[in-house]
């Protein structure tokens, strides 16, 4: 049962800043000013930071050990109430900081008023948000690792499964399904690197910067930084409360990764279509139609594709909010949390759904192999053979292969179905040996250069990726 709250406090009664004001707050001002509807998500970080702050104040003899113990015990109780659903959040108290502090005051009385010594809501929210974003980064990194594991497993199983490789969505050269999966392993690996880089840069503690200029109290910022898992305290008090590049960088990492997820989702949508039939998703990741009973819609992939727009929009929103703000803090910065929370939620859902689809999808090996053989996909192999065997320059070999493609088109056959006489009508130096390179299997097997699509390469890549990332 939610605890009872007293009458909504007026501006004059507000323990935070009521002493300066005698009039009441307009209802619309209360509505636009309050952030508790969304920053309540920061309760754990807010309490964690307050505990570290109280313990530091006591260690520095700024408050008594008795008061510090009462504060810490009371904060743990507040956290328990919130997690048990027994806490009533008040919009009149504006934000998570004052909601927590108000309840703490109800629990322990006068000592609660000492907690805010040597800090401001400016450095407090900067701390809370850094802690939250740091945790979100760790969760994103772990989720992306799970996606990599799913991709690597598919790559290992399908290292030999031939499929068409595309440029311009036109058949280009044969590749393998495993190699295609490993391409996304590389992309996701770079995404994880961006998240880790962002984490390293944000891992400085702003607590102690106070409102903007620091404090005259003999605080120990290194102690609080260490107790909260930061590498060091921030070096400049103005920057400490004004900076939001840490969440902008988080959103940028989310946006780039979401773009990669969207590309894979788009391919899954295409591959599942009746026109391609490259892969099949089970009922677990598809939906039906209310009117067309034959339909199996890849809705999970479509929604992952759409989430990218939402996430990128959050990045744009925060960049636009921050671009014109002078130092240090402006209430505009209250608008940083909703887009960040929304983007983090959308990103987590998109990664989880993508990992599920990757594990679920079943490649259609026969269809993939047949598609790889279409579109004269071994034309480059023919040109390469001419360079290696006849010894002509590649540009000349390119023309020879192009003429062979034109002849095959005229005859309505693939390159491998041309006769030796056909090839020699183009260049008399071509021998029967050319037919060894005109199958998709030979084409794929020949791509042994580092990073190439040869099945042996794919297996080596998969082993290396497991060792590097999982």
């Amino acid at each position: 049962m939610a605890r009872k709250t007293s009458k909504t406090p007026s501006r004059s009664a507000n323990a935070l800043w009521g002493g300066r004001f005698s009039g009441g707050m307009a209802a619309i001002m209360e509505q636009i000013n309050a952030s508790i509807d969304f920053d309540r998500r920061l309760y754990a970080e807010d309490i964690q930071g307050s505990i570290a702050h109280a313990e530091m104040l006591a260690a520095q003899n700024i408050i008594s050990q008795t008061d510090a113990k009462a504060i810490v015990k009371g904060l743990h109780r507040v956290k328990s109430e919130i997690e048990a659903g027994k806490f009533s959040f008040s919009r009149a108290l504006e934000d998570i900081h004052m909601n927590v502090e108000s309840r703490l005051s109800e629990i322990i009385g006068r000592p609660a008023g000492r907690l805010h010594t040597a800090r401001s809501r400016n450095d407090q929210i900067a701390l809370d948000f850094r802690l939250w974003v740091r945790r979100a980064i760790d969760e994103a990194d772990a989720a992306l690792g799970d996606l990599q594991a799913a991709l690597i497993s598919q790559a290992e199983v399908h290292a030999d499964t031939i499929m068409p490789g595309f440029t311009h969505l036109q058949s280009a050269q044969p590749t393998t399904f495993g190699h295609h999966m490993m391409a996304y392993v590389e992309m996701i690996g770079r995404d994880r690197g961006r998240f880790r880089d962002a984490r390293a840069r944000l891992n400085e503690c702003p607590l102690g910067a106070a409102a903007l200029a620091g404090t005259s109290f003999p605080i120990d910022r290194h102690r609080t930084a260490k107790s909260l898992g930061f590498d060091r305290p921030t070096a400049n008090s103005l920057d400490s409360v004004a900076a939001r590049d840490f969440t902008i960088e988080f959103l940028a990492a989310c946006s780039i990764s979401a773009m990669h997820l969207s590309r894979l989702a788009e391919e899954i949508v295409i591959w599942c279509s009746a026109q391609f039939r490259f892969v099949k998703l089970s009922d677990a990741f598809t939906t039906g139609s209310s009117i067309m009973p034959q339909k199996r819609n890849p809705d999970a992939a479509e929604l992952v594709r759409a989430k990218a727009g939402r996430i990128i929009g959050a990045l744009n929103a925060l960049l636009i909010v921050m671009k014109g703000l002078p130092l240090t803090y402006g209430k505009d910065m209250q608008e940083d949390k909703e887009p960040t929370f929304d983007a983090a939620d959308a990103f987590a859902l998109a990664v989880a759904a993508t990992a599920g689809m990757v594990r679920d999808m079943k490649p259609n090996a026969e269809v993939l192999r047949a598609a790889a053989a279409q579109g004269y996909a071994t034309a480059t192999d023919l040109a390469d053979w001419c360079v290696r065997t006849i010894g002509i320059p590649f540009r000349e070999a390119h023309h020879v292969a192009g003429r062979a493609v034109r002849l095959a088109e005229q005859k309505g056959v693939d390159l491998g179905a041309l006769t030796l006489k056909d090839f020699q009508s183009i260049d008399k130096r071509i021998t029967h040996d050319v037919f060894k390179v005109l199958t998709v299997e030979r084409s794929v097997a020949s791509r042994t250069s580092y990073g190439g699509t040869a099945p042996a390469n794919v297996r080596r890549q998969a082993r290396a990726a497991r060792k590097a990332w999982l």
Side-chain angles (χ1 to χ4, degrees):
M1 180 179 178
R3 67 180 176 85
K4 302 291 186 181
T5 55
S6 58
K7 186 175 78 173
T8 300
S10 68
R11 175 178 277 168
S12 59
N14 194 304
L16 179 61
W17 39 257
R20 171 66 178 82
F21 293 84
S22 58
M25 180 184 287
I28 193 65
M29 177 58 187
E30 179 179 302
Q31 185 174 350
I32 195 173
N33 191 55
S35 60
I36 190 60
D37 292 343
F38 51 86
D39 71 13
R40 66 179 63 186
R41 288 182 63 157
L42 299 172
Y43 77 88
E45 289 77 18
D46 193 72
I47 291 170
Q48 180 186 5
S50 290
I51 289 172
H53 186 64
E55 290 175 343
M56 180 277 296
L57 291 176
Q60 295 297 107
N61 295 314
I62 298 171
I63 66 173
S64 70
Q65 289 288 345
T66 300
D67 284 349
K69 288 178 181 178
I71 289 169
V72 171
K73 184 177 180 180
L75 287 169
H76 281 300
R77 179 174 167 183
V78 173
K79 185 179 180 184
S80 296
E81 289 179 355
I82 293 173
E83 292 177 344
K86 297 179 179 179
F87 190 95
S88 291
F89 293 95
S90 169
R91 184 177 284 181
L93 292 170
E94 296 187 15
D95 56 35
I96 187 60
H97 320 304
M98 290 312 299
N99 271 265
V100 169
E101 188 174 320
S102 175
R103 179 58 181 146
L104 180 66
S105 182
E106 291 176 357
I107 294 170
I108 68 171
R110 186 178 178 85
R114 302 189 187 281
L115 175 59
H116 210 54
T117 305
R119 77 174 183 184
S120 160
R121 284 193 297 175
N122 291 357
D123 63 338
Q124 192 177 356
I125 189 56
L127 170 67
D128 293 359
F129 207 23
R130 280 183 189 247
L131 287 170
W132 190 93
V133 171
R134 187 176 70 182
R135 178 166 58 84
I137 286 173
D138 291 342
E139 291 170 356
D141 182 58
L144 289 171
D146 182 60
L147 173 55
Q148 282 184 307
L151 291 162
I152 291 169
S153 293
Q154 285 280 19
E156 289 169 335
V157 172
H158 294 287
D160 296 287
T161 301
I162 294 171
M163 70 173 290
F166 297 98
T167 60
H168 310 278
L169 203 56
Q170 305 295 311
S171 184
Q173 290 179 317
T175 183
T176 69
F177 194 81
H179 196 53
H180 202 105
M181 294 296 97
M182 289 305 300
Y184 284 102
V185 172
E186 293 296 314
M187 293 183 205
I188 301 304
R190 293 193 296 275
D191 294 338
R192 295 181 72 183
R194 275 181 280 271
F195 279 114
R196 293 177 182 187
D197 288 346
R199 191 191 197 282
R201 269 184 288 279
L202 77 74
N203 207 36
E204 297 181 345
C205 182
L207 191 61
L212 76 159
T215 178
S216 58
F217 289 96
I219 61 173
D220 185 350
R221 294 191 63 207
H222 290 275
R223 177 193 171 101
T224 49
K226 183 177 180 181
S227 68
L228 292 167
F230 290 101
D231 295 330
R232 65 192 70 84
T234 50
N236 182 282
S237 61
L238 296 172
D239 177 58
S240 300
V241 300
R244 289 298 184 272
D245 55 338
F246 64 90
T247 191
I248 290 171
E249 191 168 8
F250 167 65
L251 291 175
C254 287
S255 296
I256 294 170
S257 189
M259 175 269 294
H260 288 150
L261 300 181
S262 182
R263 294 184 73 178
L264 177 53
E266 169 69 1
E267 293 198 303
I268 291 173
V269 170
I270 292 171
W271 292 346
C272 285
S273 69
Q275 289 71 30
F276 274 74
R277 298 186 298 115
F278 282 4
V279 302
K280 182 178 180 180
L281 291 175
S282 75
D283 294 351
F285 289 92
T286 56
T287 65
S289 166
S290 63
I291 190 172
M292 294 169 284
Q294 83 282 7
K295 294 294 293 297
R296 183 190 290 274
N297 300 321
D299 283 6
E302 292 170 9
L303 289 166
V304 167
R305 191 173 57 185
K307 296 292 183 188
R310 188 168 180 167
I311 294 163
I312 294 166
L315 171 61
N316 287 337
L318 190 50
L319 285 169
I320 293 166
V321 166
M322 294 299 298
K323 70 175 181 62
L325 298 187
L327 298 183
T328 54
Y329 182 83
K331 198 72 171 189
D332 318 51
M333 293 163 69
Q334 184 168 287
E335 292 296 315
D336 58 357
K337 292 163 203 67
E338 285 184 283
T340 302
F341 293 155
D342 184 75
D345 290 344
F347 183 70
L349 190 57
V351 176
T354 304
M357 284 188 292
V358 168
R359 288 191 171 95
D360 183 72
M361 65 183 178
K362 300 291 187 292
N364 189 334
E366 291 183 7
V367 171
L368 287 166
R369 198 273 177 204
Q374 295 173 0
Y376 310 104
T378 57
T380 305
D381 298 275
L382 172 58
D384 290 345
W385 182 89
C386 290
V387 171
R388 287 194 306 270
T389 307
I390 301 176
I392 61 178
F394 182 80
R395 285 300 167 206
E396 184 179 342
H398 187 283
H399 285 293
V400 169
R403 290 172 63 191
V405 168
R406 187 168 66 234
L407 180 58
E409 283 181 329
Q410 291 169 353
K411 289 194 165 194
V413 298
D414 195 26
L415 281 176
L418 290 176
T419 66
L420 179 59
K421 183 178 179 181
D422 290 330
F423 280 115
Q424 290 181 339
S425 71
I426 298 168
D427 191 305
K428 294 185 182 301
R429 293 169 290 182
I430 295 177
T431 67
H432 196 273
D433 187 62
V434 73
F435 291 101
K436 292 181 180 179
V437 302
L438 297 181
T439 67
V440 290
E441 288 79 11
R442 289 289 183 91
S443 174
V444 165
S446 71
R447 308 293 173 180
T448 56
S449 59
Y450 183 80
T453 193
N457 280 9
V458 174
R459 293 188 180 91
R460 279 194 296 270
Q461 280 185 310
R463 286 194 298 270
R466 279 196 179 279
K467 184 176 180 180
W469 291 111
L470 306 183

